[in-house]
Amino acid sequence: MPLIEFLDQRRKWDTFVVIAVILASIVLCLFVFLTSLNMVQEERKKIYVLDGMAIPYTASQTGADVNLDVEAKAHVALFHQLFFTLAPDEKYINYNIEKAMYLIDESGLLQKNTLEEKGFYQNIMSASANFSIMTDSIQFDKNQMTFRYWGTIRFDRRNGGTYYKLITSGKIQVQPRTENNIHGLMIRNWMVEDYSSFRSENGNN
C-alpha cells in the first residue's frame, strides 16, 4: 500500500475515533446531568423531621391529588369538629365557629345565622350545656368531589345527656393552603340531611 493511501486512511480512522470519543462524552455528560437533575428533584421532595430526641426522619412530599381522599375526609372531619364542639362559653363558641368558617363557603354561615336566630348558642350558655361530636364515617367521591358525613353528637346538660344522629353532605373544592385552611380545601353547598335524637343518657329511646 502506498504511503500516501496509508496516511490518508490513518487520518480518516483517527478522525472517526475522535468524533466517536466526542459523541460518547456528550452522551455521558447528558446522562450524568439528567441523573443528577432527577436526584436533586427527588431530594427536594424529602422533608427532614426532628423528633424530641433530635433524630432526623425523612418524609416524602407528594402531589395534592395523591392524598386528596385523605385530605378531604380530614377537612370535613375538622369542620364538623369545630362547628359542633361547643361549651357554655361565648368566647369559646365564637373562636370555634370563626375557625370553622375558614373551611366552608356561605352555606356554613347561613347555618350558623339560623342557629343564632333560634337562640341556639344562647341556650347552650344559659343551660350550661356542652356539645361534642364523634365522627362515625365520611364518604368522599373523588370524581364528583362530593362528600357525605355521618356523626354522633352528645348534648350534655345538668339534668342528663342526649345523643343525636347527624348526617350532612356537600361538595369539596380545591384552593390554596393557608394558615387557617391547612388542607387547602373548601366545603360548598353544605346541607344537614338528618339531625335527630335517638338515645337519652339513661338509655331510653
Side-chain angles (χ1 to χ4, degrees), residues 48-58:
Y48 293 89
V49 182
L50 294 177
D51 68 356
M53 303 296 292
I55 300 174
Y57 293 92
T58 58

Side-chain angles (χ1 to χ4, degrees), residues 4-187:
I4 295 177
E5 287 185 18
F6 173 78
L7 293 175
D8 186 57
Q9 287 185 357
R10 182 61 184 265
R11 182 182 59 80
K12 290 180 180 179
W13 173 253
D14 290 343
T15 303
F16 172 77
V17 171
V18 170
I19 293 173
V21 170
I22 292 173
L23 289 176
S25 300
I26 292 173
V27 171
L28 180 61
C29 289
L30 284 174
F31 174 76
V32 171
F33 173 75
L34 293 175
T35 303
S36 301
L37 184 63
N38 184 60
M39 289 176 64
V40 169
Q41 289 176 343
E42 289 298 321
E43 281 298 317
R44 285 179 178 174
K45 292 181 180 179
K46 292 182 179 179
I47 303 170
Y48 293 89
V49 182
L50 294 177
D51 68 356
M53 303 296 292
I55 300 174
Y57 293 92
T58 58
S60 297
Q61 180 185 6
T62 57
D65 22 329
V66 175
N67 292 324
L68 182 58
D69 186 75
V70 175
E71 296 259 16
K73 290 180 178 180
H75 184 86
V76 171
L78 177 60
F79 165 75
H80 286 80
Q81 190 72 33
L82 289 169
F83 196 85
F84 290 104
T85 301
L86 306 169
D89 183 320
E90 185 176 6
K91 288 185 178 180
Y92 182 82
I93 292 174
N94 291 337
Y95 175 81
N96 269 17
I97 296 299
E98 182 182 351
K99 296 290 285 184
M101 290 301 104
Y102 285 108
L103 313 179
I104 194 169
D105 67 356
E106 62 276 3
S107 59
L109 183 61
L110 181 63
Q111 289 280 2
K112 181 253 184 186
N113 290 339
T114 301
L115 292 173
E116 203 166 34
E117 289 171 5
K118 292 180 178 180
F120 175 73
Y121 302 113
Q122 193 61 41
N123 288 338
I124 288 178
M125 290 184 288
S126 61
S128 296
N130 286 280
F131 256 71
S132 59
I133 187 169
M134 181 180 68
T135 299
D136 295 326
S137 65
I138 301 173
Q139 186 181 63
F140 175 64
D141 187 332
K142 190 175 180 179
N143 295 323
Q144 300 295 324
M145 294 296 285
T146 57
F147 73 88
R148 202 153 186 246
Y149 176 93
W150 288 265
T152 301
I153 291 177
R154 178 184 168 90
F155 184 30
D156 283 313
R157 290 168 292 186
R158 285 174 294 201
N159 58 348
T162 307
Y163 289 89
Y164 292 83
K165 175 176 65 176
L166 176 71
I167 302 176
T168 70
S169 61
K171 290 182 174 292
I172 293 291
Q173 178 180 313
V174 179
Q175 66 174 33
R177 296 175 190 263
T178 66
E179 185 177 345
N180 293 309
N181 189 336
I182 58 175
H183 298 290
L185 301 172
M186 179 66 67
I187 296 173

